[in-house]
Amino acid sequence: MRYISTRGQAPALNFEDVLLAGLASDGGLYVPENLPRFTQEEIASWAGLPYHELAFRVMRPFVAGSISDADFKKILEETYATGPDGVFAHAAVAPLRQLDSNEWVLELFHGPTLAFKDFALQLLGRLLDHFLVKRGERVVIMGATSGDTGSAAIEGCKACENVDIFIMHPHNRVSEVQRRQMTTLLGENIHNIAIEGNFDDCQEMVKASFADQGFLKGTRLVAVNSINWARIMAQIVYYFHAALQLGGPARSVAFSVPTGNFGDIFAGYLARNMGLPVSQLIVATNRNDILHRFMSGNRYDKDTLHPTLSPSMDIMVSSNFERLLFDLHGRSGAEVARLMDGFKASGKLAVEDERWTEARRLFDSLAVDDAQTCATIAEVFASTGEVLDPHTAIGVRAARECRRSLAIPMVILGTAHPVKFPDAVLQAGVGRELELPAHLGDLLQRPERCTVLANDLQTVQDFVAAHGNRGKPL
Ligand SMILES: *Cc1c(COP(=O)(O)O)cnc(C)c1O
């Protein structure tokens, strides 16, 4: 499989190089040159497969030519292992829980950090290690996090022999559970940095480090944010998994997806293009609704950031939206480059009417504010006794308002465990104590390791250079 850039200028790469590249050299994002398509008979024959075996069948075409079937199978078996020594705490890996008639939550929060990002980052870490050991190369990962991504990335990479990971979070501005999920992982290749600044400061320093890598003395810098193609790829699998549980592909299924950077729902869009019958894809956003404004009014205009009860969806722009623009414009890199240059200059983007009509045919959308989020948590708790996290609650609200057919199963992606967001649950008036799952039961007692650094690029880069080789200088 070859991958091409959404801006048309960077060289085509194979899977291994795309995994290590992150952003393309022309500023675009990598996408498969040709999307694999499965027949209905093929998909039907996968019913009842364990998660890791389904994952092998869905993802195999994407990695073809870069990794042997035997190695890929082994990695997937480890990634999606369950049981006492496994990675995922539920035997079904991604179980469905029924909320109402023909309405289900796909629980994607049984991984080590209790959010769906584990599905992709557990795989990404293992794939990185596989290729780096083969190449005899070491890399440094730098990332910024306001919460979920950092812990999932560290969990995914903690066992990697050839990776040192540096994750910056804004000092004193992430919740205690979220901080501890990062800082209690103590490997010598794990480096948590609390920056005396905000999330944007952290992200700017990551960007600046990618732009000028001299301080790394030749060590490669790798991105693990949602622009990395391997993350999207891993997320395609659970759309197939859910649909097969609910009678697919003979029956079509609808999905409602709590959305920020457009990575998760883009995976659903790809699943549909690969042959999975999906009748509806709903983009569910919080008040940071740039995607809803595009879908409902052809206005992809940058706004200020609004902090909400669903912080993992607090974004100003959606980085993976560019991948959709590429398809909407007949895969013309020149068109996408023109649109993105305009967006960079003006903060505004609109597409031609017929392209926008096509986007509306592909997606429905809704923006849900904090009050509606709390009301939905309360409503679902009253009717089922289930406690939803605020992100999943936004998905449920959007599913209920945008649903086109009661006869078609509606699946809401359950993106996080409610215990990660106790404030929202409390505000919703749910009077049930939430407990940390067994594997995190002593999280609040574990020792932490974290370095507080000034909000200064040079200081951060000096720190990375001094510790980037399993705690020793590069
Ligand atoms: C990251 C995240 C999202 C948003 O996913 P995108 O792929 O960025 O659209 C939603 N909910 C939770 C809990 C997340 O961590």
Side-chain angles (χ1 to χ4, degrees):
M1 170 74 74
R2 276 159 42 103
Y3 292 85
I4 55 174
S5 165
T6 50
R7 301 203 190 169
Q9 297 296 313
L13 300 179
N14 66 18
F15 176 77
E16 175 177 342
D17 290 326
V18 160
L19 178 74
L20 295 168
L23 210 63
S25 58
D26 57 6
L29 306 181
Y30 277 107
V31 289
E33 187 168 43
N34 297 298
L35 203 64
R37 244 194 109 80
F38 304 118
T39 64
Q40 302 304 291
E41 296 70 45
E42 221 171 344
I43 299 170
S45 75
W46 300 339
L49 286 180
Y51 194 91
H52 64 93
E53 292 206 21
L54 178 67
F56 175 73
R57 285 162 176 80
V58 172
M59 289 191 277
R60 186 181 185 210
F62 292 116
V63 301
S66 289
I67 182 168
S68 73
D69 280 357
D71 285 342
F72 192 44
K73 264 189 186 159
K74 186 161 161 280
I75 287 173
L76 291 171
E77 216 168 297
E78 281 170 25
T79 304
Y80 300 110
T82 62
D85 300 320
V87 175
F88 286 83
H90 195 291
V93 185
L96 284 163
R97 189 183 289 272
Q98 189 158 13
L99 287 189
D100 205 334
S101 47
N102 228 4
E103 184 192 64
W104 315 76
V105 169
L106 178 64
E107 294 188 346
L108 299 172
F109 48 72
H110 296 287
T113 74
L114 312 179
F116 82 91
K117 292 188 171 69
D118 289 326
F119 277 80
L121 285 161
Q122 286 293 319
L123 177 61
L124 189 140
R126 288 173 173 81
L127 286 170
L128 266 181
D129 216 30
H130 169 83
F131 290 118
L132 292 172
V133 167
K134 197 184 73 177
R135 294 158 81 112
E137 233 182 85
R138 300 189 55 82
V139 301
V140 162
I141 288 174
M142 279 178 82
T145 190
S146 51
D148 289 338
T149 306
S151 55
I154 295 172
E155 275 284 354
C157 295
K158 69 180 182 191
C160 294
E161 299 275 337
N162 293 21
V163 175
D164 272 71
I165 180 164
F166 294 81
I167 297 292
M168 289 185 251
H169 69 264
H171 188 36
N172 290 334
R173 295 194 205 191
V174 300
S175 77
E176 184 175 14
V177 169
Q178 289 194 318
R179 185 191 75 240
R180 284 180 162 276
Q181 282 190 308
M182 300 189 276
T183 56
T184 57
L185 296 168
L186 301 178
E188 57 185 0
N189 61 333
I190 298 170
H191 314 278
N192 277 288
I193 306 175
I195 295 290
E196 291 174 319
N198 60 30
F199 171 65
D200 282 331
D201 297 327
C202 300
Q203 206 166 25
E204 279 309 313
M205 287 195 275
V206 173
K207 271 194 200 157
S209 301
F210 271 91
D212 183 1
Q213 304 186 10
F215 70 103
L216 292 166
K217 304 186 175 104
T219 305
R220 189 198 286 263
L221 190 58
V222 170
V224 291
N225 53 9
S226 69
I227 57 132
N228 193 305
W229 162 257
R231 284 186 59 182
I232 308 267
M233 173 185 85
Q235 291 165 5
I236 297 170
V237 177
Y238 45 68
Y239 287 90
F240 280 89
H241 188 71
L244 283 162
Q245 307 291 309
L246 293 170
R251 213 174 168 209
S252 76
V253 177
F255 290 95
S256 175
V257 186
T259 297
N261 271 320
F262 204 69
D264 211 4
I265 194 158
F266 189 71
Y269 158 85
L270 293 178
R272 178 164 62 190
N273 289 348
M274 290 163 71
L276 188 71
V278 173
S279 66
Q280 215 186 339
L281 282 170
I282 303 170
V283 177
T285 77
N286 64 22
R287 205 185 145 203
N288 298 286
D289 59 352
I290 186 166
L291 287 168
H292 174 61
R293 281 180 279 129
F294 174 76
M295 295 299 171
S296 57
N298 194 8
R299 285 196 319 274
Y300 189 82
D301 297 352
K302 200 165 165 178
D303 188 7
T304 51
L305 191 75
H306 306 287
T308 70
L309 291 174
S310 43
S312 301
M313 290 154 54
D314 288 352
I315 47 92
M316 288 197 289
V317 300
S318 280
S319 34
N320 284 292
F321 181 63
E322 180 167 342
R323 289 186 157 116
L324 177 68
L325 281 179
F326 188 58
D327 282 1
L328 288 178
H329 291 82
R331 308 202 107 200
S332 159
E335 275 293 294
V336 172
R338 188 182 60 77
L339 285 166
M340 295 311 294
D341 285 347
F343 181 67
K344 196 173 174 192
S346 69
K348 294 184 194 312
L349 188 158
V351 299
E352 289 158 21
D353 271 350
E354 61 199 85
R355 311 209 188 268
W356 179 60
T357 309
E358 171 66 3
R360 290 191 57 135
R361 192 183 66 75
L362 296 168
F363 297 96
D364 293 305
S365 71
L366 188 73
V368 178
D369 66 20
D370 278 350
Q372 292 168 306
T373 304
C374 288
T376 307
I377 295 174
E379 179 185 311
V380 169
F381 182 65
S383 62
T384 66
E386 288 298 320
V387 181
L388 300 180
D389 101 283
H391 307 80
T392 307
I394 287 171
V396 170
R397 180 85 267 133
R400 290 180 178 180
E401 298 209 6
C402 301
R403 189 165 188 174
R404 290 192 202 161
S405 164
L406 291 173
I408 293 174
M410 171 63 74
V411 177
I412 298 105
L413 267 53
T415 51
H417 192 293
V419 77
K420 291 187 88 164
F421 302 96
D423 293 351
V425 174
L426 201 68
Q427 263 194 49
V430 172
R432 208 181 87 193
E433 262 314 299
L434 293 173
E435 273 179 35
L436 283 163
H439 71 279
L440 290 171
D442 63 345
L443 186 71
L444 300 180
Q445 284 79 49
R446 291 182 196 166
E448 294 185 77
R449 198 181 74 205
C450 180
T451 307
V452 181
L453 291 182
N455 179 13
D456 174 62
L457 182 62
Q458 189 65 49
T459 307
V460 169
Q461 293 186 341
D462 287 348
F463 183 83
V464 173
H467 299 90
N469 186 7
R470 296 198 88 82
K472 297 185 193 68
L474 285 172

